[in-house]
Amino acid sequence: MGLRKFSLRAFLKKNLDFIAGVSSEIGLCIGIIIIALAISFFLVFIKSLA
Amino acid sequence: MMKFAVVFMLVLLLAPGLATAETSKELIENARAFDGGQVTLQGEVIGVMMRGNNAWVNVYEGGYAIGVWVRAEDARNISFIGDYSHAGDNVLVTGTFNMADPEHGGDLDIRAENFTITAQGAAILRTPNVIVVAISMILVALAIVSLVWLWRIHKGEEKIAPWPVYWR
Amino acid sequence: MIPSLRREDLRIIGFNLSKILFIVSIVMLIPIIVAVIYGEFEIIPHFLIGSSISVILGSITHHYWETDKEMELKHALCFAALTWIVSMLVTAIPLWTTGSTNSYLDANFDTMSGFTTSGLTLVPDIDHLSYSINFYRHFLQFFGGIGIIVISLTVLSRSELSSVLTFKGEARDIGIKPNIVRTARVILGIAIAFMVIGSVLFTAAGIIEGANLRTAIFDGVNYSMAAYSTGGFAPHSQNMLFYHSTLYEVIALIIFLIGSFNFSFHYSILSGRRREIFKNIEIKTFFTILLLSTLVISGLLLFSGVYSTPDVLFRKAFFQAASAQTTTGFGTLYPVQISTIWPSTVVFMMAMLMMIGASANSTAGGIKAIRIGVMVKSFVREIKKALSPRSATVETTYHHVEDTPLTETVAKGAMLIAFSYVLLFIVGTTITMLHGYGMSDSMFETASAVGNTGLSSGITSPAMPDTLKVTYIFLMWAGRLEIMAVLVLIGFTILGIRRGFRK
């Protein structure tokens, strides 16, 4: 299982990268969702002006 | 267009007068015609979600389920939710039909004014089919025999890769 | 002149298919765990029947077609195409024998739809389906989303050459790690990680939204598998409407958007190269198309008076657009409503989104955003060339994990696949219309099958004609494999019939 070569520092770094990576992917999707919501509000605002 | 308007008027005029319940299919396919009107739906409860003083009850009828917005106390009286091993309670719902309810994110729904449980559901007991069990046993035996036969002929030829290690 | 085929060619393909049959037999045993948990002991024999048939067929083909010859490109492509057909045929057995579908053909439709992560279904009563069979449908989607061959490679050791070739056959032209088996394992690892995250989020949302614990957990796992694989199956006939919940829909959006990202992109981000988010051509193209179409679709639905408030626009217009472009197929409205209450312009735009699709080497289908990005860049390059002096050289690059020069070959490859998809779409739409359906509905349903999406305008139902079911099975299969492998298999068959197989 590769335990002889196991390095705690490398393991932690990889896992931190992984967690940060997952968070940034979720963040990206939330960002897009917020923009989509803003588009909906913007359109309704435009319609209310017309 | 004219034909549509006539049908629409007829539906509006006749729907409240008729005691018979609409089918889910009718409601979904002609949602525009029923929108905002009083409808009656009779069917089986297949989902209940409590939301504060209210609850969503999904009522299944004729292949389609529709969400019904009811008072929480009505939902609490439900004993069985329909699934594979349960026949859900049968309910009769009368309420306002919405094609795209603005208060519920545009969902097609019925806001119940009257919610009656007409028949209590029950657990469904399902027993294994003896023939199917027998066939499966024969096939399992044949599969094991064929694997042993294959293993004896090709002993040692197949290599299976070691279990994955992801952090390397 | 193409050389005639030999019997050895059939042996090579058949021998490799036997290994797939063994893998698929294990797939059919996994839902037995769910059957035991839910006390559905009468369902277990059906899975055993399917699994045993698969093992017996695998043993016979393994023994009689055994060969140590390496696969060439033609074998690999035919093998990839046949893998999906063989897997469909055997995994359909439990669906059919349990009576979950009306016929064996319907069961095949559902398993092909599952494996290709389409999401169109012919199960007549999902709400009363046994838990183990329901789990099985979603599990097939998860399995197919990653790729049948990709998963097989994580378990079986194969020679490097054959693996690379079959990888391409299954539309997984990817090289995360120098070793293809390790690449396959990384893909599986990423998929499982997101599936687990999705299950936890969906379960929590189910509990918050008032479902009982048992339903919340079961639904959480299934919705997560269907969302990550951009599949679109749901454990309830109402699909996403069952929960009547913004929270549930937002979680679905997050998971299926993530599922639609390229595995190389995931690998870059998860191994610390997070700047890739802002540079990747595929991500930029995908989100630009999605947000622009959301703007137009929402505008059309708002100004035509179908919806009137921002939250409704978000939950109906954006959700459906995202579901279409990621080729997921989750719906927050009834299929028939798309054709009855939405303007036909919106229906057409949704069909186009399904055809465009999301990322290559992801679980999504369609032409794929990277090809659209590459085509747009090459058009711009041509315009620049026309405007530049003759002596000037116009060089274009695109960023996908690394900066890559945009060559003629890359542009031609993208256009060829896009053209094949359009051709499939035209043929599929024509066949659907010949069955008596309207043009916009036919376009919508065909785009959904070709793009492996699963949104429906109401055409797909157990009552639809058998010829149309077979057509859609073909479209889903060809769409998932990006057509090439299917065309090679057809060529292989025609060549075999015309000239026979030499010894």
Side-chain angles (χ1 to χ4, degrees):
Chain A
M1 295 291 277
L3 283 176
R4 266 176 296 172
K5 290 181 196 163
F6 182 78
S7 138
L8 186 66
R9 180 182 286 212
F11 180 80
L12 281 177
K13 192 195 173 302
K14 267 257 152 101
N15 282 283
L16 275 177
D17 274 344
F18 184 81
I19 293 163
V22 169
S23 312
S24 46
E25 284 197 35
I26 293 176
L28 169 65
C29 296
I30 292 174
I32 297 299
I33 289 168
I34 290 169
I35 296 173
L37 199 56
I39 289 175
S40 308
F41 274 99
F42 170 73
L43 285 169
V44 173
F45 172 70
I46 295 286
K47 198 189 175 190
S48 69
L49 292 179
Chain B
M1 195 63 205
M2 191 63 194
K3 212 190 282 176
F4 185 76
V6 171
V7 172
F8 181 56
M9 290 301 288
L10 275 174
V11 166
L12 279 187
L13 285 170
L14 295 175
L18 292 170
T20 52
E22 283 79 21
T23 65
S24 296
K25 196 169 188 282
E26 277 173 348
L27 292 173
I28 293 166
E29 287 182 359
N30 308 303
R32 212 179 273 277
F34 286 104
D35 193 25
Q38 285 284 310
V39 295
T40 305
L41 180 71
Q42 181 153 26
E44 178 196 359
V45 173
I46 55 146
V48 176
M49 273 153 290
M50 304 304 290
R51 301 276 166 91
N53 292 330
N54 291 79
W56 278 109
V57 175
N58 291 317
V59 178
Y60 176 90
E61 189 279 324
Y64 296 89
I66 291 182
V68 180
W69 184 242
V70 303
R71 287 172 307 178
E73 57 261 38
D74 285 335
R76 282 194 201 100
N77 293 330
I78 294 167
S79 337
F80 287 93
I81 300 171
D83 63 6
Y84 175 69
S85 47
H86 299 92
D89 288 0
N90 200 287
V91 293
L92 183 70
V93 182
T94 311
T96 314
F97 177 84
N98 295 291
M99 178 180 79
D101 195 334
E103 282 177 34
H104 293 141
D107 287 357
L108 181 149
D109 66 9
I110 298 171
R111 292 184 190 210
E113 275 135 38
N114 275 309
F115 183 85
T116 324
I117 297 170
T118 51
Q120 209 179 64
I124 303 167
L125 193 69
R126 295 182 194 263
T127 48
N129 183 323
V130 182
I131 299 167
V132 173
V133 173
I135 293 171
S136 73
M137 288 299 113
I138 294 166
L139 284 171
V140 167
L142 278 174
I144 292 170
V145 168
S146 67
L147 275 181
V148 171
W149 166 70
L150 202 66
W151 180 72
R152 284 176 73 100
I153 297 171
H154 303 276
K155 218 170 175 181
E157 283 177 21
E158 279 297 307
K159 263 201 222 154
I160 301 291
W163 197 246
V165 180
Y166 292 109
W167 59 76
R168 261 189 211 161
Chain C
M1 179 75 182
I2 306 165
S4 294
L5 298 170
R6 291 172 299 121
R7 290 208 187 142
E8 192 62 30
D9 294 326
L10 285 179
R11 285 176 78 96
I12 296 170
I13 297 168
F15 179 60
N16 282 289
L17 280 176
S18 71
K19 295 176 181 174
I20 296 295
L21 281 165
F22 289 132
I23 301 277
V24 167
S25 72
I26 298 168
V27 169
M28 280 187 271
L29 293 178
I30 292 170
I32 291 179
I33 302 168
V34 180
V36 171
I37 293 171
Y38 284 91
E40 296 169 347
F41 297 102
E42 67 285 356
I43 302 290
I44 296 173
H46 298 275
F47 287 117
L48 291 176
I49 289 173
S51 181
S52 305
I53 290 174
S54 197
V55 167
I56 295 165
L57 289 175
S59 303
I60 294 169
T61 43
H62 194 282
H63 178 66
Y64 289 104
W65 285 344
E66 197 196 0
T67 177
D68 51 8
K69 290 259 164 63
E70 277 289 331
M71 274 204 264
E72 293 168 20
L73 184 63
K74 64 179 173 196
H75 304 129
L77 291 174
C78 291
F79 162 67
L82 283 171
T83 290
W84 290 71
I85 294 290
V86 168
S87 305
M88 169 192 81
L89 290 170
V90 288
T91 52
I93 296 168
L95 273 178
W96 174 49
T97 56
T98 49
S100 307
T101 54
N102 292 345
S103 67
Y104 182 60
L105 177 64
D106 289 11
N108 277 296
F109 185 98
D110 257 65
T111 50
M112 184 54 95
S113 173
F115 277 129
T116 58
T117 71
S118 299
L120 293 168
T121 183
L122 295 181
V123 172
D125 188 2
I126 297 174
D127 298 301
H128 296 94
L129 206 58
S130 78
Y131 284 87
S132 47
I133 288 286
N134 224 340
F135 169 82
Y136 178 58
R137 294 167 67 238
H138 294 82
F139 186 64
L140 290 185
Q141 279 205 323
F142 186 63
F143 194 84
I146 303 164
I148 302 174
I149 294 166
V150 172
I151 290 190
S152 308
L153 282 175
T154 62
V155 188
L156 301 169
S157 74
R158 304 179 61 86
S159 83
E160 199 64 15
L161 179 70
S162 302
S163 309
V164 173
L165 295 176
T166 49
F167 233 49
K168 289 188 181 198
E170 203 181 42
R172 290 279 182 273
D173 194 0
I174 191 176
I176 294 171
K177 292 266 183 188
N179 178 318
I180 205 87
V181 176
R182 286 183 68 182
T183 299
R185 286 175 182 169
V186 167
I187 291 177
L188 183 64
I190 292 170
I192 291 175
F194 279 115
M195 196 277 276
V196 171
I197 293 168
S199 299
V200 172
L201 292 176
F202 273 121
T203 305
I207 295 166
I208 291 167
E209 294 295 30
N212 62 47
L213 190 65
R214 183 180 148 113
T215 311
I217 294 174
F218 182 78
D219 287 359
V221 173
N222 285 311
Y223 274 114
S224 176
M225 285 196 288
Y228 180 76
S229 62
T230 63
F233 275 163
H236 307 284
S237 63
Q238 286 164 293
N239 207 289
M240 287 310 286
L241 259 181
F242 183 86
Y243 274 90
H244 307 279
S245 155
T246 313
L247 178 65
Y248 218 80
E249 286 161 24
V250 167
I251 290 169
L253 276 167
I254 293 171
I255 303 296
F256 69 61
L257 282 170
I258 287 176
S260 75
F261 296 158
N262 194 312
F263 284 117
S264 318
F265 174 77
H266 280 305
Y267 188 70
S268 297
I269 303 294
L270 299 179
S271 51
R273 281 168 280 157
R274 286 184 287 280
R275 284 188 179 279
E276 188 66 24
I277 288 179
F278 305 103
K279 294 194 319 199
N280 193 295
I281 182 179
E282 198 159 34
I283 295 295
K284 286 198 280 188
T285 313
F286 171 71
F287 282 124
T288 307
I289 297 172
L290 178 60
L291 291 174
L292 281 177
S293 44
T294 300
L295 182 73
V296 178
I297 290 173
S298 302
L300 285 167
L301 290 171
L302 177 71
F303 286 96
S304 62
V306 180
Y307 304 125
S308 54
T309 57
D311 63 319
V312 176
L313 280 179
F314 172 76
R315 287 180 63 184
K316 300 298 166 199
F318 174 66
F319 188 93
Q320 251 63 223
S323 177
Q325 205 193 338
T326 56
T327 73
T328 306
F330 278 150
T332 55
L333 63 158
Y334 294 91
V336 75
Q337 284 188 286
I338 290 175
S339 54
T340 53
I341 67 169
W342 280 20
S344 49
T345 327
V346 175
V347 178
F348 177 75
M349 282 195 68
M350 291 284 287
M352 290 305 105
L353 281 179
M354 292 193 274
M355 286 294 290
I356 291 168
S359 300
N361 296 314
S362 71
T363 65
I367 293 169
K368 315 275 159 50
I370 191 161
R371 297 200 179 99
I372 304 289
V374 162
M375 284 194 289
V376 170
K377 279 219 162 197
S378 57
F379 277 130
V380 173
R381 184 182 59 184
E382 290 307 312
I383 295 167
K384 276 185 187 166
K385 261 189 193 171
L387 295 174
S388 309
R390 268 173 79 185
S391 55
T393 50
V394 181
E395 281 190 5
T396 315
T397 57
Y398 65 94
H399 184 91
H400 178 60
V401 184
E402 55 193 21
D403 283 323
T404 319
L406 177 56
T407 60
E408 289 293 330
T409 324
V410 172
K412 221 166 83 180
M415 283 179 197
L416 195 69
I417 295 203
F419 173 73
S420 315
Y421 269 98
V422 173
L423 204 66
L424 273 183
F425 173 68
I426 294 170
V427 171
T429 305
T430 312
I431 295 175
T432 313
M433 283 169 69
L434 286 174
H435 283 83
Y437 295 100
M439 189 166 166
S440 64
D441 287 356
S442 302
M443 283 170 74
F444 189 89
E445 209 78 3
T446 306
S448 181
V450 175
N452 300 140
T453 309
L455 285 172
S456 173
S457 59
I459 292 177
T460 301
S461 79
M464 76 199 265
D466 285 351
T467 42
L468 205 53
K469 288 175 189 169
V470 175
T471 306
Y472 285 173
I473 289 175
F474 176 81
L475 292 178
M476 290 189 278
W477 176 54
R480 171 63 179 80
L481 296 175
E482 297 189 341
I483 302 141
M484 207 53 214
V486 174
L487 292 180
V488 172
L489 178 66
I490 293 170
F492 185 90
T493 315
I494 293 172
L495 199 63
I497 292 168
R498 281 180 58 189
R499 295 204 215 143
F501 292 91
R502 286 193 292 139
K503 272 198 177 175

